[in-house]
Structures are given as structure tokens and as C-alpha cells.
Amino acid sequence: MGTSDSPALDAPILRVSAGAGREDAEAVLDSARDAAETVAVANVGPIGIEELTPLVATTADGTTALHANCTPERARTLVESLEDGTIVEEGAHAVVNHGEEQTTFPVPDDGPLSVGRRDVLERCGWVDPTTAEGYEGFVAAEAGAAPEAVISQVETVGLLGRGRGDARMDEPVAEEWRTARETDGDPVVVVNAGETDDRNATDRTLLEADPVAVLDGATAVATAIGAEDIVVYCPESALGTRDRVREAMTAFNDTDAAEGVTIRTFTAPDMYIAAEPTMALEALEGNDRLEARLRPPSPGEHGLYGRPTIVHTPRTFAQVRRILRDPDAFDPDDADPGTRLLTVTGDVTASATLELPTGGSLETVLEAVLVDSEFKMACVGGQFGGVTRSLDHTPSAPALTGARLGTDGVVELFDQSRCAVATAGTRARFAEEENCGRCVPCREGSKQLTNLLRDIYSGEFKDDMLRELARTMRETSICYFGRSASRPVTTAMDEFEPEFHAHAEGRCPSGACEEVQ
């Protein structure tokens, strides 16, 4: 039976890439392994394009054939041909010629896999994520020789934190590292993968497809600030992700890069608020009731059990690793250097996780997915993202913030059947039900926000009152949850004001609200 144990880079191999929660990939793997005798068969984790999964890649002699939506029977046929030294190209989604010792995913010239970039995603869907073999070098090992140089390099580039789980979301990260390094106490690094929003598969894709790269980046940061402890924080329900991380930890710990650090995993509650950085610290300290912590102090000064603590998402650590590997690829004059990972979901046939340059355009995402029908609007930024009619925005933090859109790595595409008022109302109700309850602007504001939206259906559209309430929540709430909770409402009002007036008159233009009054 073929396995994925240390195949030579130029040896025939069949790779199976599963989508998020795709159990059918297990059947494909089992069938391929049953048929394999000399051919290696590897489970390479998600590729990011759900429409193509299970995706099987057969590789030999510098050629890879990609077979989308592969069945167990098809996988057996592909293995049998590969055993005979033949790659089946007929019926393939794409065929790519490349070097015989290819170490990164061979990107086709067209199709959804060609959309955007594959920089931090370069190994996703290509390497066995449970091993540390095949890496050209670990940045953590090099960081041990010059920890101050790590901080200086990232500081020069100006990397910003990615995602709502990052304590430096959309802010330069190196300043916090310096604070942690210079603060008394034993520092600790937290890999915050506590995201439970199913819309956002960005961090999950990284941890399931290339966890060693995330661990390498986190270890480099730990070395730079003098930390010996790294905690990987994953949701309780993400069993597959945790198992994949633990397997990768075992492999990574056997390398020189892991020398001097201890890596552990911790289970996060299945709560949306549990990914907020200070509430993640509350959970790590064992508190049953999660509440946002006042800022300042910053985690860098007073974090986990009072220790200097760095909290970043897997996306941020992956960018750190990329900077340390190739700093010349970054322009320090960019307002948001690097790339942004985005999960495209909503009214689409299948979701896709893409990597876009921060100087590109969100419109690019339309090349990777199929919208169910005619596009109406998008919600950019996750649960509390901004509603927009146009995707003509660059995916950089300053540009998205300036357009009052979110930066959390989600683009939801909605068709003409969607109601802007109902979309805003659903998210306001979520804020009312899921907030931690600590601060008045968020706790009481979300209740009032929901009630004012309900009043619209009774014939009262209190535009000015809604906007003033949103401003108060945005400017006075303790954490990102409260500061962003009103954004879907205000942006929907700006983009679709006639629909709000129509609902107050007893009509729903989209027909989604059967009984408006």
C-alpha cells in the first residue's frame, strides 16, 4: 500500500485535497491507498476552492494533472495508471508542467485556482501537513541567531495584524513585540485560531493545509521576544483542525527550529466572542464567563496571567514567515504590505478561500466563484462587515476601513432575492444575543438597534436615531464586537435607503419579507 511517508520529490505521487468538512475525501483516500503499491498517496488538506473538492493531483516527471470532484472509483483508476508510469490527462481540470522537484502547488494558467496569489498559500494542497519535511528552511531557526533583527525586519516592512482575533488588528505588529520583549515577566505567544464563524475559513485553511508554516512563524516571534511558551487556541468543535495541528506539532518539535520552545494546544469555547483577543485570554485563564478586558493595558504588557503576551491569528504568523523568508518581496511604502486571505461565500455554488494582493481589487473574487443568480450586494468583513453594492475596492486595511467595510477576511455575495433590511436586522439581533454584556454601549445599544429596526416594519424609520446610536456604539464600546456591531445597519442604510423607506410603507422590494406589517 502506498503512503505519504517521505516520498522523493521527483517520485510519482497522488495527492488528495479535501474541502472543509468533506467526508467524501476519506473515501477517495481509502480507495487510492487500497490500489497503491509503489505510488505514494498523501492527504494534503484543503486547497481553498470548495467547488473542486475532492481535488486529486497526480504527479510524475514534472507534470501534474488536477482532477476535480474526484470519486473513489476515479481515484483508483488514477493510481493504477500512475503505477504504470502514466498520468491521466483526459478529463482533468488542468494539467501543469513544472520542475521535477516542485515544492509548492503548481498553479494552472486559468480557472479558480489561478485567481489571486499563492504566497502564504503556496504549500496548501501540495504538502503533507502532518510532516515537517520538504521545507527549504525554517525562519525560526534563523531567528534564534538574531532575535532583534526579526523585530527590525518586520518593523521596516510595516506588517499589520490580520483578523479580529489579532490583538493588533490592522495595526503594526512589531511595536507590540518590542513592548513584550522589554516588559518584565516570562512572555508567551498565542496563536489565536478561535474563530467559530463558518463564513471565515482563512485561518482554518492554513492550519489544516500548512500548520508547520504557522508554527514556524509563531516560533520566530517567540524567539524574537524571548518567549518559551506558544499556545495554539482552537475552537472546541474544530476537532479536525486540532488533530492536524497536534500532528504537525509532533513533526515540528523534531526540528532544530523548535528548540527552546514548548508548544501546546488549548480548546476554545464555541462562542463567537471567544475569538476576541482579550476574551481569548479570559478563556485561556479558565474563566467561565468571558468578558472583554479594558484597554490599555495591552496584552504585550499585561496578558495571560499577567505575563507579556503576543496574540496573533494564523494569518499574521504566516505573513511573518513570508517576510522573514523574502523581505525584498515587500514594499515598505505600502500602507498594508503583503497579501490578504479572503473567504468568498454567501449566495454562491461553493465557497472559496483566496489570497489577494493588498493593491488588487475585490472584484477579482468573482472569478473564483459562481453567484447563484444576479449579484445585488456584498457584506465585506464577516458577521459585522459593511454592506456594499460594489466590489471596486482594494483589499487593504486602509482602503476597506475608508470605505466603511470590514477587514476580517470574508466577502459574502448576495443575489437579488436578499433584503438589505432583513440582512441588517439579522446581524443586529446576533449582536444583541451574543455580546459579552460587559459594556453598556454594546449590551444596551444592540438591544436598541434591534428594536429600532423592528420599528421599521411597524412603519417608523428613525434614520437619525439609528445613526446616533450606531455612532455611540462605534466610539464607546470596549472591544471590536461592540465597535463594529452597527456597521451592517448603517452601511445598508446608506446603500439601500429606499428599501428602508419601502419597508416603513409596508413593502419589501426584494420580496424576501413576506409580511412587512
Side-chain angles (χ1 to χ4, degrees), residues 120-163:
V120 300
L121 292 180
E122 64 179 2
R123 295 169 60 83
C124 296
W126 191 249
V127 300
D128 181 345
T130 64
T131 75
E133 298 179 4
Y135 280 80
E136 296 176 355
F138 292 101
V139 297
E142 298 173 6
E148 176 58 33
V150 172
I151 299 178
S152 297
Q153 185 64 69
V154 174
E155 188 173 48
T156 298
V157 168
L159 178 67
L160 308 183
R162 266 96 169 125

Side-chain angles (χ1 to χ4, degrees), residues 351-403:
S351 64
T353 296
L354 309 171
E355 183 176 359
L356 299 185
T358 55
S361 172
L362 284 182
E363 289 182 320
T364 305
V365 305
L366 296 175
E367 301 172 15
V369 296
L370 294 175
V371 182
D372 291 341
S373 61
E374 185 181 356
F375 172 76
K376 174 180 179 177
M377 62 183 178
C379 185
V380 179
Q383 180 68 256
F384 298 139
V387 175
T388 177
R389 292 177 181 269
S390 171
L391 292 175
D392 187 18
H393 303 283
T394 60
S396 70
L400 294 175
T401 301

Side-chain angles (χ1 to χ4, degrees), residues 230-317:
I230 297 174
V231 178
V232 182
Y233 175 81
C234 296
E236 183 177 7
S237 59
L239 297 177
T241 303
R242 287 208 317 276
D243 288 346
R244 185 61 55 83
V245 170
R246 286 168 178 163
E247 290 177 300
M249 282 167 47
T250 300
F252 183 69
N253 284 335
D254 289 336
T255 70
D256 293 340
E259 187 175 348
V261 299
T262 299
I263 307 174
R264 295 171 293 161
T265 59
F266 188 92
T267 300
D270 284 322
M271 304 166 63
Y272 180 83
I273 59 173
E276 193 278 329
T278 66
M279 284 189 260
L281 297 180
E282 292 281 303
L284 287 168
E285 291 178 0
N287 296 320
D288 293 330
R289 179 178 174 81
L290 303 187
E291 292 184 344
R293 295 182 179 181
L294 293 171
R295 299 185 189 183
S298 72
E301 294 174 295
H302 188 81
L304 186 62
Y305 293 113
R307 300 164 62 183
T309 304
I310 295 301
V311 184
H312 293 317
T313 59
R315 281 169 279 174
T316 303
F317 287 117

